[in-house]
Amino acid sequence: MAQTTRPATGSTSTTGPTGPVGPTGLAKGFRSAEQGWPELHRIPHPPRRVPLLGDVLGVNVRTPLQDSMRIADRLGPIFRRKAFGKEFVFVWGADLAADLADESRFAKHVGLGVANLRPVAGDGLFTAYNHEPNWQLAHDVLAPGFSRDAMAGYHPLMLDVARQLTARWDEREAAGDAVDVPGDMTKLTLETIARTGFGHDFGSFERAAPHPFVTAMVGTLSFAQRRNVVPPLLGPLLLRGADRRNEADMAYLNRTVDEVVAARRAAGGSDGGQGDLLNRMLEVAHPDTGERLSAENIRRQVITFLVAGHETTSGALSFALHYLSRHPDVLARARAEVDEVWGAEGEPAYEQVAKLRYLRRVLDESLRLWPTAPGFAREAVQDTTLGGEHPMRRGAWALVLATMLHRDPAAWGENAAEFDPDRFAPSAVRARPAHVFKPFGTGARACIGRQFALHEATLVLGLLLRRYDLHADPGYRLRIAERLTLMPDGLTLRLGRRAGAA
């Protein structure tokens, strides 16, 4: 993981011409594009702008990402949209995205959607501003929790949760019932991060309905998404009831996490979880400065990991299972690899998961088409020019549409919309430009749990292919649910037990 220099602590905010100014000297909060792009007029936008409202014709407040994808198809690798007086620049061309990945000129921008999560996640790893010192402190303390040795320690717990999933699926298969793929993947990934990271069992598979934590989490994510598309002046009116529900959801998330942390503290900090993420948060000081995470920041980090650590992985697993069920040739090849690599063993050792190279390609190709974190924002850390053509002032930002970057024909070919795991064969990867596959973000602020998620997802897919035949609903057409992350909507599968499956 790339490192950055820690900002000085003790900085205070001042006031600048565009509002409150943070310790970097940049305006805090939302910065409309006209503040940072001197030649904004050269960037195309949709026709027929409506006065005051902006580019709202033909859009759906429930599908802002998919609307942006359709606009991107028409307008090209860089474009802008305006809504209620706010101007946004979107980028998806491979060359421009590679430029934005330059850490010497650009850094993570906590964009509007991410900033809307700060009331609950604060300066957690995902939502912290670059100048907030707790980001680097938490990163340095927690990064060893994703080392190879740590991952090997999580593996038995991952297997144990996977057994709960297969027990549930065995019951559904025996009854001839279809399985709710997104729902069950959400249960699996929540239990996995809760048990491996925090020694907590939500009992998700013992419940007919989602755990209240999941309900509150989905409510908070959905509320943040709604805030993205509601006019600020109308927000207090249009979101009045939703705002009260969101307050209740955040209170439940905070209360749940406080109980988890309190139980670990009462057990003396270990509770059998020596070396897990919560143990590191409570017991480990920064190796250089001796600083420790505050109680408030621990709460925020736990919420961050519980939400981000299961929401994106459950989506990745769900999309992969959808594509496997629709491509029997790919499924057969992946299953043959699992049978060959794992042999007669009913469950794999830690080292055997990484040997499923073709199955990993299936997962990567699913993440290419539908990265569950569908975009990330980058801001200029100095005055610069994007792609040698578009001037940007320090603090100007753009949203990289990963869903479109991953479909750019310049990088992926004219058949970029088709599902083909061999795009991730080593020779194909070497032949592609850098920075065209970004399902986990980019740079120093890329997802700290990437290897955790990939190991978990590859393990689970291998176990399911070894045990079941997957039968798609012939009438189902992939629909995408947007709630900051992406998930297949309404995806069910019917199962058949493989002959000889343990």
Side-chain angles (χ1 to χ4, degrees):
M1 181 67 67
Q3 299 293 311
T4 57
T5 302
R6 290 193 67 193
T9 59
S11 300
T12 58
S13 296
T14 59
T15 300
T18 56
V21 174
T24 59
L26 301 176
K28 294 173 66 177
F30 179 77
R31 300 191 287 275
S32 191
E34 61 268 17
Q35 298 175 14
W37 296 76
E39 298 185 20
L40 188 65
H41 63 277
R42 297 176 53 209
I43 299 175
H45 64 77
R48 297 183 298 159
R49 281 190 161 177
V50 178
L52 299 179
L53 298 181
D55 304 316
V56 298
L57 295 179
V59 302
N60 186 330
V61 295
R62 297 185 180 276
T63 58
L65 171 78
Q66 292 165 84
D67 290 342
S68 293
M69 291 173 67
R70 287 187 285 271
I71 294 170
D73 262 335
R74 297 197 303 268
L75 298 183
I78 181 170
F79 65 96
R80 55 190 168 113
R81 296 182 66 184
K82 191 170 189 177
F84 310 113
K86 296 178 178 179
E87 191 95 48
F88 305 80
V89 173
F90 295 80
V91 168
W92 60 271
D95 291 344
L96 298 177
D99 212 18
L100 287 168
D102 181 352
E103 289 281 287
S104 69
R105 296 160 53 221
F106 297 95
K108 174 172 177 170
H109 174 74
V110 178
L112 192 61
V114 176
N116 286 340
L117 293 174
R118 283 182 60 87
V120 65
D123 57 354
L125 280 170
F126 180 61
T127 47
Y129 292 114
N130 293 318
H131 68 266
E132 291 181 303
N134 274 335
W135 175 78
Q136 191 75 54
L137 171 61
H139 180 277
D140 293 348
V141 167
L142 295 172
F146 296 97
S147 66
R148 185 185 183 283
D149 287 345
M151 293 292 302
Y154 302 146
H155 180 78
L157 292 172
M158 291 183 178
L159 280 171
D160 191 46
V161 177
R163 292 185 199 110
Q164 296 181 44
L165 171 69
T166 55
R168 179 183 181 87
W169 279 24
D170 285 351
E171 293 174 356
R172 304 292 290 179
E173 187 274 333
D177 295 330
V179 294
D180 170 9
V181 175
D184 285 344
M185 293 305 107
T186 296
K187 292 180 177 182
L188 170 102
T189 55
L190 175 64
E191 291 300 329
T192 298
I193 186 60
R195 293 190 59 188
T196 58
F198 309 104
H200 183 74
D201 188 344
F202 281 101
S204 296
F205 287 103
E206 300 163 14
R207 299 171 175 268
H211 191 282
F213 185 91
V214 174
T215 303
M217 179 273 299
V218 170
T220 297
L221 293 178
S222 299
F223 181 78
Q225 180 78 300
R226 288 187 65 187
R227 287 186 63 193
N228 287 345
V229 297
V230 170
L233 294 178
L234 297 180
L237 175 64
L238 297 180
L239 298 177
R240 184 164 49 194
D243 185 70
R244 288 194 296 270
R245 289 191 297 273
N246 185 59
E247 290 291 336
D249 287 338
M250 290 194 300
Y252 183 84
L253 295 177
N254 288 335
R255 187 164 62 251
T256 301
V257 168
D258 288 348
E259 290 170 358
V260 171
V261 174
R264 179 64 64 88
R265 288 189 187 277
S270 62
D271 193 28
Q274 295 90 340
D276 70 6
L277 296 177
L278 184 53
N279 180 256
R280 297 193 66 82
M281 291 179 193
L282 293 172
E283 304 294 332
V284 176
H286 190 279
D288 297 327
T289 67
E291 293 176 271
R292 292 179 180 270
L293 298 178
S294 68
E296 181 182 35
N297 190 255
I298 288 173
R299 173 204 271 177
R300 291 170 172 174
Q301 302 297 355
V302 174
I303 288 176
T304 296
F305 278 106
L306 285 175
V307 173
H310 93 274
E311 174 78 355
T312 52
T313 310
S314 61
L317 278 164
S318 298
F319 283 117
L321 287 166
H322 166 74
Y323 285 114
L324 283 165
S325 71
R326 295 285 173 154
H327 294 83
D329 55 332
V330 173
L331 188 149
R333 184 175 169 187
R335 174 179 288 151
E337 179 187 60
V338 175
D339 290 342
E340 178 182 356
V341 171
W342 292 0
E345 298 296 325
E347 295 177 335
Y350 171 75
E351 296 79 8
Q352 288 179 295
V353 176
K355 295 179 180 179
L356 298 179
R357 295 181 176 88
Y358 183 73
L359 187 55
R360 170 63 185 276
R361 293 180 207 170
V362 171
L363 182 61
D364 283 345
E365 178 69 347
S366 302
L367 283 168
R368 181 186 72 85
L369 289 170
W370 293 108
T372 50
F376 54 94
R378 301 284 284 171
E379 69 179 45
V381 298
Q382 61 194 39
D383 290 354
T384 188
T385 302
L386 179 64
E389 186 177 358
H390 299 283
M392 297 176 68
R393 297 190 183 102
R394 180 171 178 259
W397 64 278
L399 180 67
V400 179
L401 282 177
T403 47
M404 293 301 293
L405 170 63
H406 293 177
R407 289 169 165 83
D408 185 353
W412 301 95
E414 293 303 319
N415 66 341
E418 298 176 8
F419 178 78
D420 179 8
D422 282 332
R423 296 181 201 277
F424 289 91
S427 59
V429 172
R430 289 192 297 269
R432 269 195 303 275
H435 303 297
V436 297
F437 182 57
K438 296 290 184 179
F440 296 95
T442 193
R445 297 289 302 272
C447 176
I448 193 175
R450 171 180 179 172
Q451 294 307 320
F452 181 100
L454 292 171
H455 181 86
E456 176 189 4
T458 307
L459 168 65
V460 171
L461 288 174
L463 291 169
L464 295 179
L465 293 190
R466 195 164 171 86
R467 193 175 189 89
Y468 305 108
D469 292 317
L470 306 177
H471 303 294
D473 176 354
Y476 178 75
R477 297 295 177 267
L478 183 61
R479 302 187 303 273
I480 308 299
E482 298 184 26
R483 55 189 191 214
L484 291 183
T485 61
L486 304 182
M487 184 76 77
D489 185 24
L491 174 63
T492 62
L493 294 175
R494 291 193 175 274
L495 307 173
R497 281 295 293 275
R498 288 185 68 198

